[in-house]
Amino acid sequence: MISVIIPLYNGEKYILRSVQSVLRQTYTDFEIIVVDDGSSDQGAERVAELKHPQIRVVRQPNQGVSAARNAGIRAARYDLVAFLDADDEWLPSHLEEINKLSTAFPQCGVFGTAYYMQRGNEPRTLPHIYQCPQKPCVLTNYFEVASGADFPMQTSAYAARKEAMLAIGGYPVGIPSGEDILTMARLQTVCDFAYSPTPTSVYYLTADATKSKRFILWNDPLDSLFEDVYRKAKHKTGCRLFLSAWYKRRMTGAILAHKYALGGKMFFKAFCVMPFQKKLYTSAAATLLSAFTGMSLYDINKKLKR
């Protein structure tokens, strides 16, 4: 059986869509734990009004999305915990695909799938995944794949064994953003990932408070945390590339925020880790073009990929 954990903070606008997408699953052996993280709206009440026997609502003072997910993990009754953000949704086959993966690859600790991205009213798109597998497999080169433009799986697209989550201490509390990327990297240090290229969830690229914002910090605590992951997992394929890609993402965010000194610092750190990767230089050029012209980086990258 699977415990489904949905952190909720002021997500009244979306939460029923999320919960109903779980209730429509073709695989029905699950419980739903909605963790209300001190919301000031009526989202938790909307869930409670469903009075569904498979749903529990856990309430806590506002502590952030990581603390909410950790509370859900502690409350979970089952060995496999699946995560779903309050403003995302699953296609009906998601948990069935997760169950197939856990059955086919019992040695793994994480089971994830591809996903759709929904940006406003645009058609759903698939992420640009580097060296994406063509069939379900053990993703032996997760770090390498996750160093591309998009991640092979995101928080609403995977489940993990509870013991694996506890082994890494759960989601990191007190991190302003990027906690999802760090958690996946930490999980890769303690267990293998099983992956299906079949997209079974929808990741909504919303701009409101339900999504964590990427803060642009000169001294970001994640820098040292990702360096620690590298020290533990540098024997794994693509780990050095993954660390460089983190600094590249930091560079992009800094340049777009017109913090050019920080952008230069991150470019140099990425260069020191892997000086001969072409993507570092093309990314820097595209980001500078976006910063100086006002054209969105999303549109620039679409043109470059034509």
Side-chain angles (χ1 to χ4, degrees):
M1 297 186 72
I2 302 173
S3 295
V4 179
I5 298 169
I6 306 177
L8 173 64
Y9 177 70
N10 290 347
E12 181 180 4
K13 182 178 179 181
Y14 309 105
I15 184 60
L16 290 184
R17 178 183 70 191
S18 175
V19 170
Q20 293 290 359
S21 78
V22 182
L23 296 177
R24 289 193 295 268
Q25 293 296 297
T26 55
Y27 181 90
T28 59
D29 290 335
F30 60 80
E31 64 169 351
I32 302 174
I33 304 169
V34 176
V35 183
D36 179 31
D37 189 42
S39 298
S40 58
D41 65 9
Q42 299 300 304
E45 283 69 24
R46 299 288 85 79
V47 175
E49 288 169 0
L50 295 175
K51 296 181 180 179
H52 197 285
Q54 288 172 282
I55 300 176
R56 282 187 286 153
V57 177
V58 175
R59 300 175 188 267
Q60 66 178 29
N62 181 249
Q63 300 173 55
V65 66
S66 288
R69 290 183 183 129
N70 290 342
I73 293 169
R74 291 192 297 271
R77 294 176 177 144
Y78 307 119
D79 172 60
L80 205 56
V81 290
F83 302 96
L84 176 61
D85 282 353
D87 58 343
D88 292 337
E89 67 176 312
W90 287 343
L91 302 184
S93 61
H94 178 70
L95 288 183
E96 185 175 343
E97 194 70 17
I98 294 294
N99 183 58
K100 287 179 181 178
L101 287 172
S102 67
T103 302
F105 306 102
Q107 74 277 23
C108 293
V110 170
F111 311 93
T113 70
Y115 55 95
Y116 291 107
M117 297 189 296
Q118 181 74 58
R119 189 185 301 270
N121 295 321
E122 296 182 15
R124 289 176 180 174
T125 60
L126 290 170
H128 296 282
I129 300 175
Y130 174 71
Q131 292 185 346
C132 181
Q134 300 302 305
K135 60 182 180 180
C137 64
V138 177
L139 198 61
T140 56
N141 61 336
Y142 170 78
F143 284 124
E144 187 174 25
V145 176
S147 299
D150 296 310
F151 294 97
M153 59 185 89
Q154 49 89 27
T155 304
S156 294
Y158 78 89
R161 298 199 187 279
K162 189 173 181 178
E163 62 181 6
M165 295 301 305
L166 295 176
I168 64 167
Y171 283 84
V173 177
I175 301 298
S177 66
E179 78 291 331
D180 48 351
I181 306 173
L182 177 63
T183 298
M184 292 299 296
R186 283 177 164 175
L187 282 168
Q188 178 67 180
T189 68
V190 300
C191 66
D192 290 329
F193 292 2
Y195 178 75
S196 169
T198 302
T200 60
S201 64
V202 183
Y203 173 54
Y204 285 86
L205 296 162
T206 57
D208 59 25
T210 62
K211 292 293 186 189
S212 62
K213 294 179 174 60
R214 300 295 189 210
F215 291 92
I216 310 301
L217 305 173
W218 183 270
N219 294 309
D220 192 322
L222 279 173
D223 292 348
S224 60
L225 294 175
F226 276 112
E227 289 165 4
D228 182 59
V229 167
Y230 173 70
R231 284 189 290 270
K232 292 178 179 177
K234 58 185 177 182
H235 60 286
K236 293 205 169 186
T237 301
C239 194
R240 179 181 291 274
L241 179 63
F242 182 81
L243 179 60
S244 179
W246 164 251
Y247 288 129
K248 179 165 67 71
R249 288 188 174 97
R250 288 259 285 139
M251 173 198 73
T252 298
I255 293 174
L256 292 178
H258 304 289
K259 297 184 177 182
Y260 300 112
L262 178 57
K265 175 185 175 183
M266 291 299 107
F267 176 89
F268 181 71
K269 295 194 81 163
F271 174 85
C272 288
V273 175
M274 286 195 74
F276 301 114
Q277 57 160 324
K278 180 181 177 181
K279 287 184 178 180
L280 174 60
Y281 304 101
T282 57
S283 178
T287 308
L288 285 168
L289 179 62
S290 175
F292 286 121
T293 65
M295 184 184 297
S296 77
L297 188 58
Y298 174 69
D299 289 335
I300 292 172
N301 284 327
K302 278 205 304 185
K303 290 184 178 181
L304 289 175
K305 288 166 184 171
R306 287 176 183 170

